[in-house]
Amino acid sequence: MINRGLGAIVGCISALALFAAQPAAAATVIGNPCIGNTSAPDVTILSTANGPGNPLSATVPSAGVITRWTFNVVEIPPNVLSQTLKTFRPTGAPGQFQVVGESSSASMVTGLNTFGTRIPVQAGDYLGSSGTAAGKIVTVFCETTNPGDRVGVFPGNPTTGATAAIIGEEGELQNPITATIEPDADNDGFGDETQDKCPQSAVAQGDCPTVTVDAASVIKRKGSVVVLLTTTASAPVKVAGTVNLGKGKKAKLGSKVQTVTPGKVSRFTLKFPKKLKKRLEELTRKQSLQLRVTASATDLIGRVTTDKLKTRLKGQASG
Ligand SMILES: [Ca+2]
Ligand SMILES: [Ca+2]
C-alpha cells in the first residue's frame, strides 16, 4: 500500500542491534531503535506493534512526559530532511486517532539523532512520525523483515488536534523512533527527572519555593495565648512555646498544625498546661514569666523554617 519510493535514501539492512540499555531509572524508553532505511511520500505513520525480539513497548505504558526522542536513519539525501515525532490517542472509532502532541520539526543527520522535547502523554498513546524534504511530505521508516513490526498509515500530515483514520496497517515496517518518558507526579507537563526541579508542586518548575514564617504578635488571655502569624507560601505550620517555671521546671505549650495561606493572618492558640496556670496563680501581678514561642513552617520538600518571639505572662495572684 505504501509507495516505497526510496528516493535519495538508500535501502539498507535493518538493525535492532544498536539500542543500548538505559541505566535503571524511573524513566521509561519506548518505541523502536530500528534504522530508517526507506521512505514514502505524502504519508504519516504510527507504530502499532513491535515484533518479538524488541523489549520496548510500542505504546505508552503509563502517563508522563516525553522529554527526549531519538531517530535513527541510515543516510540523508542531499536536500535537508526533517522529521517530527507525533503522539496519537485512539478515539474509540476503529482505526481513528487524534494527534495529541508533536515535537518541533527536527533536521536529521546520518546515524542516531537525539532531541529534547516536552510532550505530555497518557497510557495507551501511540508514537508516530512524519517528515519533510524539499518542502514535501517525506516520511522515513524502517523495513525490518520482522512481521511483528507493524505501522498504521495516515494520508498526508495530520497535525495536533486533528482526528485522522489510518488507511491501512502493514507488517515488516517500523517507525525509527524511541521516546523517553519521565514521570510527571504533579501533572504540570514537565518531566519530573530533567525538566521539573519541583515535582511536588504543579505551580513551580524551578526550585521549590521556600517558605518564610513571620510570627507577628501574641494576644494574651486568661488560660491561653493566641499567636498571629503569616507565611510567604502555603505551608503547614506548628507553633510551640516554653515557659521556665523556676527550680528547673518547664511548661511546654503546643498548637495544632494548620495550613497557612499566604497573605492571610492565621491564629494559633496555645493553651496553658495546668502547672503553668498554677504557677501564674502563685505569682503577684507585678511578677511575670517569660514565654518563648517558635513557629515552624514546612515547605513542599520538607525544609523547615522558623520564627521566634518572646512575651511575658503576668502573675495572677489575687492577693
Ligand atoms: Ca512535573
Ligand atoms: Ca512542578
Side-chain angles (χ1 to χ4, degrees):
M1 170 178 310
I2 298 178
N3 172 17
R4 296 185 193 178
L6 295 183
I9 296 181
V10 181
C12 189
I13 54 166
S14 66
L16 290 169
L18 294 182
F19 179 71
Q22 299 283 315
T28 310
V29 178
I30 68 165
N32 199 305
C34 66
I35 297 178
N37 53 11
T38 186
S39 66
D42 303 321
V43 294
T44 294
I45 59 171
L46 94 165
S47 169
T48 56
N50 279 330
N54 183 348
L56 304 184
S57 171
T59 56
V60 175
S62 57
V65 177
I66 297 175
T67 58
R68 209 167 66 101
W69 60 289
T70 66
F71 196 99
N72 225 342
V73 58
V74 68
E75 190 177 327
I76 298 295
N79 46 13
V80 175
L81 182 129
S82 298
Q83 300 284 297
T84 301
L85 163 67
K86 292 172 184 278
T87 54
F88 295 87
R89 195 163 294 159
T91 63
Q96 196 186 66
F97 297 83
Q98 185 178 30
V99 185
V100 288
E102 284 180 273
S103 70
S104 51
S105 177
S107 290
M108 296 296 153
V109 296
T110 299
L112 181 64
N113 297 262
T114 301
F115 307 100
T117 192
R118 190 171 70 77
I119 306 174
V121 286
Q122 297 293 323
D125 285 352
Y126 287 72
L127 299 183
S129 64
S130 65
T132 57
K136 294 184 175 164
I137 301 172
V138 177
T139 298
V140 172
F141 53 93
C142 314
E143 283 187 302
T144 71
T145 71
N146 185 337
D149 289 336
R150 296 185 70 78
V151 296
V153 182
F154 298 98
N157 180 24
T159 53
T160 302
T163 297
I166 56 172
I167 51 175
E169 204 181 344
E170 288 207 25
E172 300 188 10
L173 297 179
Q174 254 304 353
N175 190 23
I177 284 179
T178 71
T180 301
I181 303 169
E182 295 182 16
D184 183 20
D186 59 345
N187 205 25
D188 62 359
F190 289 79
D192 289 352
E193 293 179 6
T194 63
Q195 296 178 333
D196 191 357
K197 288 184 178 169
C198 187
Q200 292 84 358
S201 168
V203 299
Q205 286 81 45
D207 292 332
C208 289
T210 54
V211 176
T212 304
V213 59
D214 181 16
S217 61
V218 175
I219 300 167
K220 294 171 200 171
R221 293 182 172 158
K222 176 132 172 115
S224 64
V225 294
V226 178
V227 178
L228 305 183
L229 62 82
T230 56
T231 59
T232 55
S234 178
V237 175
K238 191 170 173 31
V239 178
T242 57
V243 180
N244 280 327
L245 302 175
K247 297 178 185 172
K249 289 185 180 170
K250 271 187 187 177
K252 293 197 172 180
L253 296 73
S255 74
K256 288 180 184 164
V257 175
Q258 289 183 53
T259 297
V260 176
T261 308
K264 199 178 156 198
V265 177
S266 292
R267 302 160 68 92
F268 288 77
T269 301
L270 299 177
K271 286 184 181 166
F272 296 169
K274 268 186 191 166
K275 58 183 172 183
L276 174 56
K277 285 183 184 170
K278 193 172 168 233
R279 185 71 187 118
L280 289 171
E281 282 164 8
E282 291 166 2
L283 298 176
T284 68
R285 292 181 191 211
K286 288 184 180 170
Q287 294 176 304
S288 63
L289 297 172
Q290 187 176 65
L291 167 64
R292 295 168 184 268
V293 173
T294 303
S296 306
T298 306
D299 73 9
L300 291 163
I301 55 173
R303 294 171 298 196
V304 176
T305 50
T306 59
D307 192 31
K308 294 172 189 282
L309 55 77
K310 296 175 194 169
T311 189
R312 295 204 75 87
L313 306 175
K314 281 186 181 172
Q316 295 168 358
S318 48

PDB file of all heavy atoms in Angstrom, residues 65 183-193 195-202 204-205, ligand 1:
ATOM      1  N   VAL A  65       5.690  12.422  30.645  1.00  0.00           N
ATOM      2  CA  VAL A  65       6.077  13.441  29.661  1.00  0.00           C
ATOM      3  C   VAL A  65       7.240  12.887  28.833  1.00  0.00           C
ATOM      4  O   VAL A  65       8.230  12.405  29.402  1.00  0.00           O
ATOM      5  CB  VAL A  65       6.521  14.752  30.349  1.00  0.00           C
ATOM      6  CG1 VAL A  65       6.984  15.782  29.321  1.00  0.00           C
ATOM      7  CG2 VAL A  65       5.386  15.334  31.187  1.00  0.00           C
ATOM      8  N   PRO A 183       8.225  10.318  34.578  1.00  0.00           N
ATOM      9  CA  PRO A 183       7.010  10.520  35.372  1.00  0.00           C
ATOM     10  C   PRO A 183       6.691  12.015  35.505  1.00  0.00           C
ATOM     11  O   PRO A 183       7.583  12.851  35.363  1.00  0.00           O
ATOM     12  CB  PRO A 183       7.365   9.943  36.751  1.00  0.00           C
ATOM     13  CG  PRO A 183       8.673   9.251  36.593  1.00  0.00           C
ATOM     14  CD  PRO A 183       9.327   9.750  35.356  1.00  0.00           C
ATOM     15  N   ASP A 184       5.429  12.304  35.770  1.00  0.00           N
ATOM     16  CA  ASP A 184       5.005  13.694  35.998  1.00  0.00           C
ATOM     17  C   ASP A 184       4.009  13.677  37.165  1.00  0.00           C
ATOM     18  O   ASP A 184       2.810  13.864  36.985  1.00  0.00           O
ATOM     19  CB  ASP A 184       4.371  14.263  34.724  1.00  0.00           C
ATOM     20  CG  ASP A 184       3.981  15.727  34.878  1.00  0.00           C
ATOM     21  OD1 ASP A 184       4.526  16.403  35.779  1.00  0.00           O
ATOM     22  OD2 ASP A 184       3.135  16.197  34.094  1.00  0.00           O
ATOM     23  N   ALA A 185       4.551  13.483  38.359  1.00  0.00           N
ATOM     24  CA  ALA A 185       3.702  13.262  39.542  1.00  0.00           C
ATOM     25  C   ALA A 185       2.787  14.447  39.822  1.00  0.00           C
ATOM     26  O   ALA A 185       1.662  14.281  40.262  1.00  0.00           O
ATOM     27  CB  ALA A 185       4.574  12.967  40.760  1.00  0.00           C
ATOM     28  N   ASP A 186       3.280  15.676  39.590  1.00  0.00           N
ATOM     29  CA  ASP A 186       2.457  16.854  39.880  1.00  0.00           C
ATOM     30  C   ASP A 186       1.635  17.277  38.670  1.00  0.00           C
ATOM     31  O   ASP A 186       0.896  18.264  38.734  1.00  0.00           O
ATOM     32  CB  ASP A 186       3.324  18.017  40.375  1.00  0.00           C
ATOM     33  CG  ASP A 186       4.384  18.412  39.373  1.00  0.00           C
ATOM     34  OD1 ASP A 186       4.645  17.635  38.427  1.00  0.00           O
ATOM     35  OD2 ASP A 186       4.959  19.506  39.525  1.00  0.00           O
ATOM     36  N   ASN A 187       1.776  16.535  37.559  1.00  0.00           N
ATOM     37  CA  ASN A 187       0.925  16.751  36.397  1.00  0.00           C
ATOM     38  C   ASN A 187       1.013  18.171  35.860  1.00  0.00           C
ATOM     39  O   ASN A 187       0.019  18.756  35.444  1.00  0.00           O
ATOM     40  CB  ASN A 187      -0.524  16.399  36.754  1.00  0.00           C
ATOM     41  CG  ASN A 187      -1.332  16.007  35.539  1.00  0.00           C
ATOM     42  OD1 ASN A 187      -0.775  15.551  34.538  1.00  0.00           O
ATOM     43  ND2 ASN A 187      -2.630  16.198  35.603  1.00  0.00           N
ATOM     44  N   ASP A 188       2.239  18.744  35.862  1.00  0.00           N
ATOM     45  CA  ASP A 188       2.387  20.098  35.318  1.00  0.00           C
ATOM     46  C   ASP A 188       2.908  20.100  33.884  1.00  0.00           C
ATOM     47  O   ASP A 188       3.179  21.163  33.318  1.00  0.00           O
ATOM     48  CB  ASP A 188       3.274  20.978  36.216  1.00  0.00           C
ATOM     49  CG  ASP A 188       4.694  20.460  36.348  1.00  0.00           C
ATOM     50  OD1 ASP A 188       5.013  19.406  35.767  1.00  0.00           O
ATOM     51  OD2 ASP A 188       5.490  21.118  37.051  1.00  0.00           O
ATOM     52  N   GLY A 189       3.064  18.898  33.303  1.00  0.00           N
ATOM     53  CA  GLY A 189       3.510  18.827  31.910  1.00  0.00           C
ATOM     54  C   GLY A 189       5.005  18.927  31.747  1.00  0.00           C
ATOM     55  O   GLY A 189       5.492  19.014  30.623  1.00  0.00           O
ATOM     56  N   PHE A 190       5.748  18.909  32.847  1.00  0.00           N
ATOM     57  CA  PHE A 190       7.207  18.926  32.807  1.00  0.00           C
ATOM     58  C   PHE A 190       7.711  17.628  33.436  1.00  0.00           C
ATOM     59  O   PHE A 190       7.289  17.261  34.538  1.00  0.00           O
ATOM     60  CB  PHE A 190       7.765  20.133  33.579  1.00  0.00           C
ATOM     61  CG  PHE A 190       7.528  21.451  32.898  1.00  0.00           C
ATOM     62  CD1 PHE A 190       6.295  22.078  32.972  1.00  0.00           C
ATOM     63  CD2 PHE A 190       8.541  22.062  32.159  1.00  0.00           C
ATOM     64  CE1 PHE A 190       6.054  23.283  32.330  1.00  0.00           C
ATOM     65  CE2 PHE A 190       8.311  23.262  31.514  1.00  0.00           C
ATOM     66  CZ  PHE A 190       7.074  23.888  31.600  1.00  0.00           C
ATOM     67  N   GLY A 191       8.614  16.915  32.728  1.00  0.00           N
ATOM     68  CA  GLY A 191       9.143  15.641  33.217  1.00  0.00           C
ATOM     69  C   GLY A 191       9.864  15.832  34.537  1.00  0.00           C
ATOM     70  O   GLY A 191      10.688  16.730  34.688  1.00  0.00           O
ATOM     71  N   ASP A 192       9.529  14.945  35.493  1.00  0.00           N
ATOM     72  CA  ASP A 192       9.994  15.168  36.865  1.00  0.00           C
ATOM     73  C   ASP A 192      11.488  14.901  37.065  1.00  0.00           C
ATOM     74  O   ASP A 192      12.035  15.241  38.106  1.00  0.00           O
ATOM     75  CB  ASP A 192       9.188  14.288  37.837  1.00  0.00           C
ATOM     76  CG  ASP A 192       7.757  14.788  37.978  1.00  0.00           C
ATOM     77  OD1 ASP A 192       7.452  15.884  37.457  1.00  0.00           O
ATOM     78  OD2 ASP A 192       6.947  14.086  38.606  1.00  0.00           O
ATOM     79  N   GLU A 193      12.150  14.266  36.091  1.00  0.00           N
ATOM     80  CA  GLU A 193      13.568  13.946  36.298  1.00  0.00           C
ATOM     81  C   GLU A 193      14.509  14.999  35.731  1.00  0.00           C
ATOM     82  O   GLU A 193      15.530  15.305  36.341  1.00  0.00           O
ATOM     83  CB  GLU A 193      13.885  12.570  35.711  1.00  0.00           C
ATOM     84  CG  GLU A 193      13.182  11.469  36.497  1.00  0.00           C
ATOM     85  CD  GLU A 193      13.429  10.084  35.952  1.00  0.00           C
ATOM     86  OE1 GLU A 193      14.236   9.932  35.015  1.00  0.00           O
ATOM     87  OE2 GLU A 193      12.797   9.157  36.465  1.00  0.00           O
ATOM     88  N   GLN A 195      13.188  18.006  33.806  1.00  0.00           N
ATOM     89  CA  GLN A 195      12.566  19.287  33.415  1.00  0.00           C
ATOM     90  C   GLN A 195      11.904  20.015  34.570  1.00  0.00           C
ATOM     91  O   GLN A 195      11.537  21.179  34.435  1.00  0.00           O
ATOM     92  CB  GLN A 195      11.503  19.017  32.328  1.00  0.00           C
ATOM     93  CG  GLN A 195      12.100  18.465  31.052  1.00  0.00           C
ATOM     94  CD  GLN A 195      11.051  18.156  30.005  1.00  0.00           C
ATOM     95  OE1 GLN A 195       9.902  17.884  30.336  1.00  0.00           O
ATOM     96  NE2 GLN A 195      11.450  18.203  28.743  1.00  0.00           N
ATOM     97  N   ASP A 196      11.727  19.337  35.689  1.00  0.00           N
ATOM     98  CA  ASP A 196      10.919  19.895  36.775  1.00  0.00           C
ATOM     99  C   ASP A 196      11.721  19.803  38.076  1.00  0.00           C
ATOM    100  O   ASP A 196      11.914  18.713  38.611  1.00  0.00           O
ATOM    101  CB  ASP A 196       9.625  19.090  36.891  1.00  0.00           C
ATOM    102  CG  ASP A 196       8.608  19.741  37.802  1.00  0.00           C
ATOM    103  OD1 ASP A 196       8.917  20.796  38.390  1.00  0.00           O
ATOM    104  OD2 ASP A 196       7.497  19.188  37.912  1.00  0.00           O
ATOM    105  N   LYS A 197      12.212  20.952  38.547  1.00  0.00           N
ATOM    106  CA  LYS A 197      13.002  20.921  39.785  1.00  0.00           C
ATOM    107  C   LYS A 197      12.119  20.855  41.023  1.00  0.00           C
ATOM    108  O   LYS A 197      12.617  20.709  42.136  1.00  0.00           O
ATOM    109  CB  LYS A 197      13.909  22.158  39.862  1.00  0.00           C
ATOM    110  CG  LYS A 197      15.061  22.104  38.882  1.00  0.00           C
ATOM    111  CD  LYS A 197      15.964  23.294  39.093  1.00  0.00           C
ATOM    112  CE  LYS A 197      17.146  23.236  38.143  1.00  0.00           C
ATOM    113  NZ  LYS A 197      17.882  24.493  38.154  1.00  0.00           N
ATOM    114  N   CYS A 198      10.814  21.000  40.826  1.00  0.00           N
ATOM    115  CA  CYS A 198       9.896  20.902  41.970  1.00  0.00           C
ATOM    116  C   CYS A 198       8.740  19.969  41.603  1.00  0.00           C
ATOM    117  O   CYS A 198       7.619  20.436  41.354  1.00  0.00           O
ATOM    118  CB  CYS A 198       9.388  22.288  42.365  1.00  0.00           C
ATOM    119  SG  CYS A 198       8.426  22.255  43.892  1.00  0.00           S
ATOM    120  N   PRO A 199       9.004  18.653  41.534  1.00  0.00           N
ATOM    121  CA  PRO A 199       7.922  17.729  41.167  1.00  0.00           C
ATOM    122  C   PRO A 199       6.837  17.619  42.220  1.00  0.00           C
ATOM    123  O   PRO A 199       5.839  16.951  42.021  1.00  0.00           O
ATOM    124  CB  PRO A 199       8.645  16.390  40.959  1.00  0.00           C
ATOM    125  CG  PRO A 199       9.968  16.515  41.599  1.00  0.00           C
ATOM    126  CD  PRO A 199      10.299  17.983  41.698  1.00  0.00           C
ATOM    127  N   GLN A 200       7.010  18.314  43.355  1.00  0.00           N
ATOM    128  CA  GLN A 200       5.981  18.302  44.403  1.00  0.00           C
ATOM    129  C   GLN A 200       4.892  19.334  44.145  1.00  0.00           C
ATOM    130  O   GLN A 200       3.879  19.333  44.830  1.00  0.00           O
ATOM    131  CB  GLN A 200       6.610  18.592  45.768  1.00  0.00           C
ATOM    132  CG  GLN A 200       7.538  17.495  46.281  1.00  0.00           C
ATOM    133  CD  GLN A 200       8.953  17.607  45.734  1.00  0.00           C
ATOM    134  OE1 GLN A 200       9.258  18.487  44.933  1.00  0.00           O
ATOM    135  NE2 GLN A 200       9.826  16.729  46.171  1.00  0.00           N
ATOM    136  N   SER A 201       5.108  20.265  43.201  1.00  0.00           N
ATOM    137  CA  SER A 201       4.123  21.335  43.009  1.00  0.00           C
ATOM    138  C   SER A 201       3.927  21.639  41.540  1.00  0.00           C
ATOM    139  O   SER A 201       4.886  21.877  40.803  1.00  0.00           O
ATOM    140  CB  SER A 201       4.597  22.611  43.707  1.00  0.00           C
ATOM    141  OG  SER A 201       3.795  23.698  43.306  1.00  0.00           O
ATOM    142  N   ALA A 202       2.661  21.674  41.121  1.00  0.00           N
ATOM    143  CA  ALA A 202       2.352  21.987  39.726  1.00  0.00           C
ATOM    144  C   ALA A 202       2.596  23.465  39.412  1.00  0.00           C
ATOM    145  O   ALA A 202       2.701  23.833  38.248  1.00  0.00           O
ATOM    146  CB  ALA A 202       0.909  21.610  39.415  1.00  0.00           C
ATOM    147  N   ALA A 204       5.243  25.190  40.322  1.00  0.00           N
ATOM    148  CA  ALA A 204       6.667  25.504  40.231  1.00  0.00           C
ATOM    149  C   ALA A 204       7.388  24.480  39.360  1.00  0.00           C
ATOM    150  O   ALA A 204       7.165  23.282  39.484  1.00  0.00           O
ATOM    151  CB  ALA A 204       7.293  25.516  41.627  1.00  0.00           C
ATOM    152  N   GLN A 205       8.249  24.966  38.457  1.00  0.00           N
ATOM    153  CA  GLN A 205       9.131  24.084  37.683  1.00  0.00           C
ATOM    154  C   GLN A 205      10.597  24.320  38.045  1.00  0.00           C
ATOM    155  O   GLN A 205      11.447  23.492  37.823  1.00  0.00           O
ATOM    156  CB  GLN A 205       8.934  24.301  36.173  1.00  0.00           C
ATOM    157  CG  GLN A 205       7.647  23.704  35.649  1.00  0.00           C
ATOM    158  CD  GLN A 205       6.447  24.604  35.905  1.00  0.00           C
ATOM    159  OE1 GLN A 205       6.522  25.809  35.674  1.00  0.00           O
ATOM    160  NE2 GLN A 205       5.365  24.050  36.392  1.00  0.00           N
TER     161      GLN A 205
HETATM  162 CA    CA B   1       6.201  17.583  36.801  1.00  0.00          CA
END
